[in-house]
Amino acid sequence: MLRNHYKLPHIEKRLLPNIWDGLVLMIVMAVIASLAWGAMDMDVPYQFGTVISISLDPSHLPGYAVSTVIRMLLALMVSFIFTLTISTLAAKSDAAAKIILPALDILQSIPILGLLSITVVGFIALFPDSRLGPECAAIFAIFTSQVWNMAFSFYQSLRSIPKEWQEAAAIYHLSPWQRFWHIEVPFATPGLLWNTMVSMSAGWFYVVASEAISVANTTITLPGIGSYISKAIWQGDSKAIGYAIFAMFLVILIYDQLLFRPLLKWAETFKPDTLEGETSTPSWFYDLLTKTRLFKYLSVIYQPLIEFFINPPRFTRTKPAYKTSLPSPKLARWGRYAFNTLTALSLLWAMKVLCDFMIAEITMDEAFWVLWLGLITGVKVMVLIVLASLVWVPLGVYIGMRPNAAQICQPIAQFLAAFPANLLYPLVVILIVKYHLNINIWTMPLMILGTQWYILFNVIAGTSALPQELHLAIQNFGVSGWLKWKRLILPAIFPYYVTGAMTAAGGAWNASIVAEVVEWDGQRLTAQGLGRYITEFSDQGDFPRIALGITVMCIYVLVLNHVLWRKLYRIAENRFTLE
Amino acid sequence: MSETTLLKVENVAKSFHTPEGQTRHVLQDVNFELKEGEFVAVLGKSGSGKSTFLRILAGLIKPSNGTVFYKDNPVVEPVKGIAMVFQNFALLPWLSVLENVELGLEAQGMNSSLRRQKALQAIDMVGLDGFESAYPKELSGGMRQRVGFARALVVEPELLVMDEPFSALDILTAENLRNDLMELWQEQRIRTKSILCVTHDIEEAILMANRIVIFSSDPGRIHTSLNVDLPFPRIPQSEVFHSLVDKIYTVMTTSERDRLALTKAAAHRQKTDVKHPEYAYRLPDVSVSELTGLLEAMQWHLKEGRIDLPALADELHLAVDNLFPLTEALDMLRFAKISKGEVKCLGAGKELAEGDILERKHLFAKHLLEHIPLARHIREVLDLKPNHRVNEEQFLEELQEFLTEDESERLLKIIIDWSRYAEIFAYDYDTGVLSLENPQ
């Protein structure tokens, strides 16, 4: 018996759109129109050294906002493509994984802002007579701030696909392509989406820096909120700063409501089981979309498209029923030898290039000096993590124990995480100058501004994951006050806290590049540290020294990650994980 | 029943190599033939390699030795014509029932309208009509497995292999689903020519199969092949059925006893051989509370000091792969004695069952030190040390000379668990130190 509604979807008689169609159409058209308007002037002729003037008139802000949004969307798209290809390669091939995984680990510790001045030159050379050069550099910077955790998340998902599914895919002869789209991508979607949201916040932090790139004593500006802010900072226009903050708030809100919330709601389909107590994400836009008739009819178009995409006729070859031989192991062995030789050769080449590049310019003394600067910044990062923990751990626990409070605080914290440090420059400079404060100490908060929220997020998550039963048991025995913290709360949130603190520390290193040199209204205050070293030589366009600074910072982050954070994490996993 | 051979397994063996150069044999010398029209049930306790056997047949795992022939062609990867039903269903949660069922057809490159038509027929056949658009998470366990069956049957396999398909379901649901499957099979409403089903439930095997293959463990091999000629429907309450259950229990316990005897003989033989100390032998993975619990329960089922295993298993709702490790442990510790289809409770066993906490610990410690060489060995080493402290790594290294890394860890974990209960020595999780002192 075939049911009517399970025949291929066909269009019913009533094709008249309903009111929801109209609403959605308006929203979609508005988005598209504004994006097109922004994209039009991206490909204008450009000469290195030409200054694109930025107007602080708030009427230009919507246009700038759209430009910035386009850059972020493009960066996000590139990140997705990178994730889907490179992570898949790493997950499928052990040989590739040997290179890709450490590379990702190193790349995510590289200070993006320091790298910017190098990449911009490369991109300008690539597109000599067009603004595409600096545009690509900016997009590349945003991309590098977003992509690594997405790539890791996807890789981990691919590696943890339940064995039974893999067996089912093999038994029913799914092709690798079908397996990818039917099993692997859907399985990885929830984790990838969550990481994309975190990445978006990070992206905002860097978009401000990447739209106004100063290299070789020239400032390249691209129209966008970021350059608007940097001009406002340079001219000391606090009103314009206010407008910029408001515009950013609006854009982030729209992003959240129109893009991420519907996606989160949609991604719930991909979770195997809804856990108890887990509430579904409310999204008015998603509900609106599903109410439209257009959306329903769209399935007539997109279902065959998806069908064609996943099961392309040309690639769905009919395999011979029996395969009698396996690929020869000899060939595989030769492949492995070739691969290893190639890796070793490229390593040697890389070492030679680095040596030529840096050693020719830099003395041993300077290298030690940079290491010392790194130590200063490192101490600052650690002090900040301790201070931030003292504030956010108790607050996070407080919020986490009250589900209602958590629902309100989560989006606020997410917005604050996207808040670029530059926006606080005026406040910091004014305070330091007025009260003659120590620059080294009082610029420190800027470093942790964007990343402290990771500690808060994770503590909230850890606290809410604590079973109600344990609270009741502890109450029953009359355990309270410090004893309760020592025996229940701190051990329970420890694994979550370590994750949060590790992320926060990594971000703080990166932020030192914008936090150790502070400008406002033509004044420039500098603190001591590796971040300042990188910033100052970026301004001068001294590439060997930028490279040295970046390398040293990268090494510090890597060493700390491996020696301190991962060790703590292992302890946390072994000892304090609730089963 | 035609006599055409559908599947033939020749001298198949499977072993895993560990980084330390140890080899663990999962399957050895397996020869097996499946004819068209047969429904074969594979029985064996956990660890007998029956699931590995099934996966080798299906082409999911390559055997280390020997060949599987499907219609005279060697199987080196999953073959068309064999479909599989999984223990935990293996449904994709983001696909609807219909889409899940279509998956195998999609892989064949079938066009979407034919695919849909066939999938709907299969869904109809397993009785899930009306749930086509539901997602797996909306369905109960039994209904999910029905989707699993539909997905397997829709590709019209000649051989259907099932890996404990009913063990994740409750008793009533399992029975209901099993009956429906048997109906499809016997009325030949499906094109499947043969079925092979791995199970650990003796009754289930008898209810369904024409032939039961019993695996013994360490390494897994086919111990007995038994034809079941009872007419359908088979009635578990009937006399014939009962005697068949008893017979299989006897075969399974005998196989266990043979193995134990072999192990002991090997241990004895190698005692003189310095290379392989007698303590490096595996122990059944059971907890002390399970052991004492079983002994207590046994006291209620005593018939002249003997216990009828099928009756006990039935009473306690224990499947064979849960029951046998327990009886084996009792046998090793000399609290009970296994013989043909029966367990005899020894005096010490009765004493243990009736003792209070302290008496129990005392008695258990005595038997542990007397009859389990590894416990004795560890205690002796600790006694000899001036500070009576040794890190677990030392014992792990000792064991790894003779066992794989996994085996060693498992063995040490069991012995630590038992010895902690018996207060033979103490263990500190954080440092991994075994000692004779009481925890601070």
Side-chain angles (χ1 to χ4, degrees):
Chain A
M1 179 189 68
L2 301 185
R3 297 195 162 219
N4 199 25
H5 57 276
Y6 271 101
K7 283 183 182 161
L8 276 180
H10 61 278
I11 302 173
E12 285 169 42
K13 279 163 275 168
R14 291 187 305 151
L15 242 177
L16 287 175
N18 59 18
I19 182 157
W20 305 113
D21 288 282
L23 261 172
V24 172
L25 188 71
M26 255 160 58
I27 296 174
V28 172
M29 288 310 285
V31 171
I32 292 174
S34 53
L35 290 183
W37 173 47
M40 264 189 321
D41 57 21
M42 274 198 176
D43 185 25
V44 289
Y46 173 79
Q47 207 63 53
F48 186 69
T50 323
V51 179
I52 293 168
S53 64
I54 299 288
S55 160
L56 290 185
D57 185 347
S59 67
H60 286 93
L61 251 180
Y64 291 152
V66 170
S67 299
T68 302
V69 165
I70 293 174
R71 268 173 219 125
M72 297 200 66
L73 276 180
L74 285 173
L76 204 61
M77 245 150 68
V78 179
S79 300
F80 267 116
I81 294 168
F82 181 93
T83 302
L84 290 186
T85 50
I86 301 297
S87 300
T88 310
L89 194 63
K92 300 274 167 164
S93 150
D94 287 338
K98 259 188 233 155
I99 303 229
I100 293 173
L101 291 185
L104 288 182
D105 196 29
I106 292 168
L107 285 169
Q108 71 169 348
S109 335
I110 284 186
I112 300 143
L113 297 172
L115 204 64
L116 201 55
S117 51
I118 297 180
T119 52
V120 74
V121 176
F123 278 114
I124 287 175
L126 209 59
F127 305 103
D129 293 319
S130 152
R131 217 178 75 203
L132 272 177
E135 285 289 1
C136 286
I139 290 168
F140 184 76
I142 304 167
F143 159 76
T144 46
S145 73
Q146 293 176 330
V147 74
W148 314 122
N149 59 330
M150 290 167 65
F152 268 119
S153 148
F154 195 69
Y155 169 78
Q156 271 154 3
S157 298
L158 289 196
R159 294 299 292 227
S160 53
I161 286 182
K163 192 148 176 281
E164 275 204 338
W165 289 354
Q166 297 175 23
E167 290 181 341
I171 280 282
Y172 295 110
H173 304 278
L174 293 192
S175 65
W177 181 252
Q178 288 171 326
R179 207 182 283 209
F180 187 64
W181 292 106
H182 267 322
I183 299 180
E184 289 160 353
V185 171
F187 180 72
T189 297
L192 184 59
L193 198 59
W194 166 249
N195 275 288
T196 308
M197 283 178 69
V198 173
S199 285
M200 256 334 246
S201 294
W204 278 109
F205 194 89
Y206 294 109
V207 83
V208 172
S210 64
E211 283 176 355
I213 310 165
S214 49
V215 58
N217 298 319
T218 320
T219 305
I220 302 166
T221 44
L222 297 167
I225 292 196
S227 46
Y228 182 93
I229 290 171
S230 67
K231 182 162 191 190
I233 286 170
W234 191 242
Q235 297 192 347
D237 189 339
S238 41
K239 225 187 203 165
I241 293 276
Y243 292 137
I245 292 177
F246 181 67
M248 268 191 64
F249 173 75
L250 277 185
V251 172
I252 293 174
L253 191 76
I254 291 172
Y255 243 107
D256 184 62
Q257 294 294 317
L258 293 194
L259 189 66
F260 281 123
R261 273 174 185 272
L263 280 177
L264 274 180
K265 176 119 188 178
W266 169 74
E268 280 166 17
T269 332
F270 300 113
K271 291 186 184 161
D273 272 303
T274 1
L275 295 176
E276 207 167 319
E278 202 179 25
T279 46
S280 89
T281 327
S283 166
W284 60 269
F285 190 62
Y286 182 86
D287 296 341
L288 188 69
L289 273 179
T290 46
K291 270 184 204 155
T292 61
R293 200 155 285 149
L294 177 80
F295 199 67
K296 281 171 205 152
Y297 292 136
L298 228 49
S299 70
V300 182
I301 300 163
Y302 73 69
Q303 271 184 353
L305 279 181
I306 289 175
E307 164 78 30
F308 186 79
F309 181 69
I310 298 182
N311 308 318
R314 225 178 335 151
F315 293 107
T316 326
R317 63 219 153 99
T318 13
K319 279 199 297 183
Y322 305 106
K323 197 167 142 188
T324 43
S325 66
L326 290 168
S328 106
K330 211 172 183 180
L331 206 72
R333 204 170 51 234
W334 277 110
R336 215 159 43 235
Y337 287 148
F339 177 80
N340 286 344
T341 321
L342 217 69
T343 313
L345 281 179
S346 36
L347 202 71
L348 281 175
W349 173 80
M351 268 162 67
K352 187 182 174 316
V353 168
L354 275 181
C355 288
D356 286 355
F357 190 50
M358 283 198 275
I359 287 175
E361 282 273 337
I362 294 158
T363 60
M364 223 39 198
D365 284 351
E366 181 159 10
F368 279 120
W369 168 243
V370 177
L371 276 176
W372 165 247
L373 288 177
L375 196 67
I376 295 177
T377 304
V379 169
K380 287 193 204 173
V381 170
M382 283 301 143
V383 170
L384 285 170
I385 293 293
V386 171
L387 288 177
S389 306
L390 286 178
V391 176
W392 296 117
V393 169
L395 262 172
V397 170
Y398 179 88
I399 296 170
M401 289 207 268
R402 290 160 187 76
N404 292 332
Q407 279 207 335
I408 298 169
C409 291
Q410 200 85 14
I412 296 176
Q414 229 152 30
F415 171 68
L416 290 176
F419 207 79
N422 313 38
L423 288 175
L424 279 196
Y425 280 2
L427 192 70
V428 172
V429 174
I430 289 167
L431 284 178
I432 290 177
V433 171
K434 193 167 178 190
Y435 297 104
H436 304 289
L437 300 170
N438 183 322
I439 300 173
N440 268 318
I441 295 175
W442 293 97
T443 51
M444 273 167 59
L446 291 174
M447 282 167 67
I448 196 91
L449 191 73
T451 59
Q452 55 188 327
W453 311 105
Y454 294 115
I455 300 180
L456 180 67
F457 287 151
N458 280 285
V459 171
I460 293 177
T463 316
S464 26
L466 203 61
Q468 195 60 31
E469 252 182 12
L470 281 180
H471 280 295
L472 292 176
I474 285 275
Q475 240 171 40
N476 190 10
F477 295 122
V479 178
S480 63
W482 172 236
L483 191 64
K484 181 173 173 183
W485 279 81
K486 199 171 82 176
R487 289 282 177 240
L488 175 70
I489 294 171
L490 292 183
I493 62 171
F494 189 64
Y496 294 85
Y497 168 75
V498 171
T499 315
M502 177 159 68
T503 322
W509 274 99
N510 224 323
S512 71
I513 293 171
V514 289
E516 287 177 351
V517 177
V518 179
E519 295 166 333
W520 171 249
D521 200 6
Q523 297 179 57
R524 190 180 171 104
L525 304 179
T526 52
Q528 196 64 272
L530 188 53
R532 169 192 168 185
Y533 180 90
I534 295 174
T535 313
E536 288 190 336
F537 285 109
S538 300
D539 289 349
Q540 294 171 19
D542 186 339
F543 290 111
R545 289 192 170 73
I546 303 173
L548 176 71
I550 291 174
T551 313
V552 169
M553 190 177 277
C554 186
I555 291 172
Y556 266 105
V557 174
L558 275 177
V559 168
L560 277 174
N561 274 353
H562 282 266
V563 174
L564 177 71
W565 296 114
R566 300 235 167 123
K567 210 158 250 175
L568 275 177
Y569 191 75
R570 211 160 303 139
I571 296 175
E573 231 180 11
N574 259 333
R575 256 312 238 108
F576 299 116
T577 310
L578 291 167
E579 281 174 61
Chain B
M1 197 184 293
S2 82
E3 285 301 302
T4 325
T5 301
L6 195 61
L7 190 90
K8 197 171 173 192
V9 176
E10 275 179 5
N11 297 320
V12 157
K14 178 76 194 172
S15 47
F16 293 105
H17 295 281
T18 61
E20 296 82 41
Q22 294 292 322
T23 316
R24 200 170 88 88
H25 299 285
V26 183
L27 286 176
Q28 222 167 45
D29 303 329
V30 179
N31 287 289
F32 172 77
E33 207 167 308
L34 186 69
K35 300 228 178 334
E36 280 187 9
E38 273 194 309
F39 190 134
V40 173
V42 177
L43 265 176
K45 51 176 242 182
S46 57
S48 60
K50 55 188 195 292
S51 279
T52 311
F53 175 64
L54 181 93
R55 280 168 172 71
I56 289 176
L57 294 187
L60 288 171
I61 301 180
K62 289 176 191 68
S64 337
N65 210 348
T67 321
V68 176
F69 293 95
Y70 176 73
K71 294 175 155 180
D72 300 329
N73 291 293
V75 174
V76 290
E77 60 170 16
V79 232
K80 279 185 184 165
I82 303 182
M84 186 163 167
V85 174
F86 294 85
Q87 183 174 11
N88 294 307
F89 325 132
L91 302 178
L92 300 176
W94 41 84
L95 299 184
S96 66
V97 167
L98 185 69
E99 287 162 338
N100 263 298
V101 175
E102 279 183 36
L103 201 63
L105 301 174
E106 222 176 294
Q108 291 174 4
M110 191 179 281
N111 75 49
S112 60
S113 54
L114 184 59
R115 208 166 73 201
R116 184 139 304 191
Q117 187 193 334
K118 288 201 168 217
L120 286 172
Q121 277 167 358
I123 290 170
D124 209 11
M125 189 161 67
V126 298
L128 272 181
D129 211 358
F131 288 96
E132 297 90 343
S133 64
Y135 285 100
K137 61 182 155 196
E138 299 171 61
L139 305 179
S140 66
M143 280 153 90
R144 288 185 202 184
Q145 192 59 299
R146 280 175 194 270
V147 183
F149 275 111
R151 183 179 62 182
L153 294 173
V154 81
V155 297
E156 299 180 346
E158 286 183 290
L159 172 59
L160 180 65
V161 294
M162 312 195 280
D163 183 20
E164 309 207 5
F166 309 113
S167 68
L169 310 176
D170 63 79
I171 300 170
L172 287 176
T173 311
E175 190 176 318
N176 174 251
L177 187 52
R178 195 170 50 227
N179 289 340
D180 285 1
L181 173 73
M182 289 312 286
E183 224 175 275
L184 289 176
W185 165 245
Q186 283 167 347
E187 292 170 11
Q188 296 186 345
R189 283 166 54 200
I190 49 180
R191 296 205 184 173
T192 304
K193 290 178 180 155
S194 304
I195 300 183
L196 186 127
C197 177
V198 164
T199 174
H200 57 247
D201 187 329
I202 295 176
E203 274 197 17
E204 184 176 286
I206 302 175
L207 277 169
M208 301 189 298
N210 315 104
R211 185 150 67 96
I212 297 177
V213 171
I214 299 169
F215 268 67
S216 61
S217 42
D218 282 323
R221 56 176 95 211
I222 294 181
H223 183 272
T224 309
S225 183
L226 206 70
N227 285 325
V228 185
D229 302 322
L230 301 182
F232 289 98
R234 294 172 178 169
I235 298 150
Q237 287 75 23
S238 71
E239 197 66 29
V240 231
F241 198 98
H242 262 302
S243 66
L244 199 56
V245 172
D246 278 348
K247 190 171 166 191
I248 291 174
Y249 262 103
T250 308
V251 170
M252 290 183 83
T253 44
T254 326
S255 81
E256 282 312 298
R257 213 179 38 149
D258 291 351
R259 200 182 61 71
L260 279 179
L262 268 173
T263 315
K264 277 179 198 157
H268 187 73
R269 196 168 52 245
Q270 286 173 346
K271 227 178 214 173
T272 44
D273 181 2
V274 237
K275 276 198 78 187
H276 204 147
E278 56 170 348
Y279 55 75
Y281 283 97
R282 57 173 290 278
L283 297 171
D285 195 355
V286 295
S287 73
V288 180
S289 54
E290 283 176 300
L291 287 178
T292 44
L294 182 64
L295 278 172
E296 278 173 35
M298 278 178 167
Q299 306 309 312
W300 299 97
H301 289 83
L302 279 175
K303 271 189 260 160
E304 297 144 24
R306 287 167 184 281
I307 295 122
D308 189 20
L309 267 185
L312 184 68
D314 202 41
E315 178 85 9
L316 299 176
H317 299 298
L318 280 174
V320 272
D321 56 346
N322 295 325
L323 184 63
F324 281 133
L326 286 168
T327 53
E328 197 183 318
L330 289 180
D331 189 277
M332 288 175 130
L333 285 160
R334 305 278 201 286
F335 289 120
K337 186 151 181 51
I338 308 175
S339 56
K340 286 193 170 186
E342 280 179 335
V343 174
K344 198 175 161 196
C345 184
L346 299 175
K350 194 165 152 61
E351 233 177 281
L352 191 78
E354 285 164 359
D356 65 25
I357 294 180
L358 283 178
E359 287 165 0
R360 276 182 180 181
K361 284 195 172 214
H362 190 71
L363 189 64
F364 194 81
K366 186 166 159 264
H367 279 246
L368 193 56
L369 285 173
E370 267 173 30
H371 304 297
I372 306 293
L374 181 58
R376 193 164 59 233
H377 172 68
I378 294 177
R379 178 66 194 222
E380 279 165 4
V381 172
L382 286 172
D383 277 336
L384 283 175
K385 283 265 172 177
N387 62 352
H388 304 308
R389 291 163 65 84
V390 174
N391 196 291
E392 61 180 337
E393 291 299 327
Q394 183 186 325
F395 293 111
L396 273 178
E397 275 168 28
E398 280 179 25
L399 290 173
Q400 274 171 21
E401 283 183 40
F402 313 102
L403 301 169
T404 65
E405 194 182 347
D406 285 352
E407 275 296 311
S408 309
E409 272 171 17
R410 211 176 58 97
L411 183 55
L412 196 67
K413 194 177 158 290
I414 296 167
I415 209 74
I416 286 174
D417 189 42
W418 289 5
S419 305
R420 273 174 140 180
Y421 169 81
E423 297 181 27
I424 290 176
F425 53 79
Y427 173 71
D428 186 66
Y429 177 85
D430 289 332
T431 57
V433 168
L434 305 170
S435 68
L436 292 184
E437 55 209 56
N438 283 321
Q440 320 269 290

